[in-house]
Amino acid sequence: MRNAARTAVVGASLAGLSLVPWTAQATPGGPGVSGRVLAQRTIGDTDYILREITIPPGQATGWHYHDGTLYAYVKQGTLSHFDSSCASDGVYKKGSYLKEPSGADHVHIGENRGATNVVLEVLYVLPHGAPFSEDAPAPGCELP
């Protein structure tokens, strides 16, 4: 999908979100990894949550998975993303988009191997009441 089309899809997805408080749930990760909710809305049994994630240089999200699908835009920096076999499944630079599928069979980690913060804008599409992420044990392989 071209960037303009992706922007339109994400923009349309976010159009109905309201700016109200949401209980933050920690993503496992290194020192300084943080997230803040920008907007949220529940429609039926699905939560749509727009969140900004910041990963400082040299830090990572920790191994985890999600109970729903995530759509992310890299606002700043470069995110290195690895699957449960420790294989790189993408290096996402500023202006890139990525999608994380749901389920325990999609364990992954995101790392900031650069010199500036990685800042992501993430749309979480989760079953109502699900946490942002589920901790997962390290898979026992070494990241490249």
Side-chain angles (χ1 to χ4, degrees), residues 38-125:
L38 303 174
Q40 72 88 26
R41 183 168 185 158
T42 300
I43 300 173
D45 61 355
T46 304
D47 292 334
Y48 298 87
I49 305 156
L50 178 62
R51 194 168 178 231
E52 183 177 87
I53 307 293
T54 302
I55 307 168
Q59 298 303 315
T61 61
W63 290 99
H64 66 281
Y65 65 92
H66 307 281
D67 295 323
T69 304
L70 272 66
Y71 302 90
Y73 170 73
V74 182
K75 188 174 174 181
Q76 177 182 308
T78 300
L79 178 71
S80 297
H81 203 267
F82 301 90
D83 66 20
S84 62
S85 71
C86 292
S88 173
D89 58 6
V91 175
Y92 301 93
K93 296 180 180 185
K94 179 181 176 180
S96 299
Y97 294 86
L98 65 138
K99 177 182 175 181
E100 293 181 348
S102 65
D105 55 335
H106 294 287
V107 171
H108 57 275
I109 191 170
E111 287 189 340
N112 180 353
R113 295 183 167 187
T116 62
N117 284 348
V118 167
V119 178
L120 306 171
E121 289 185 356
V122 182
L123 175 63
Y124 294 73
V125 181

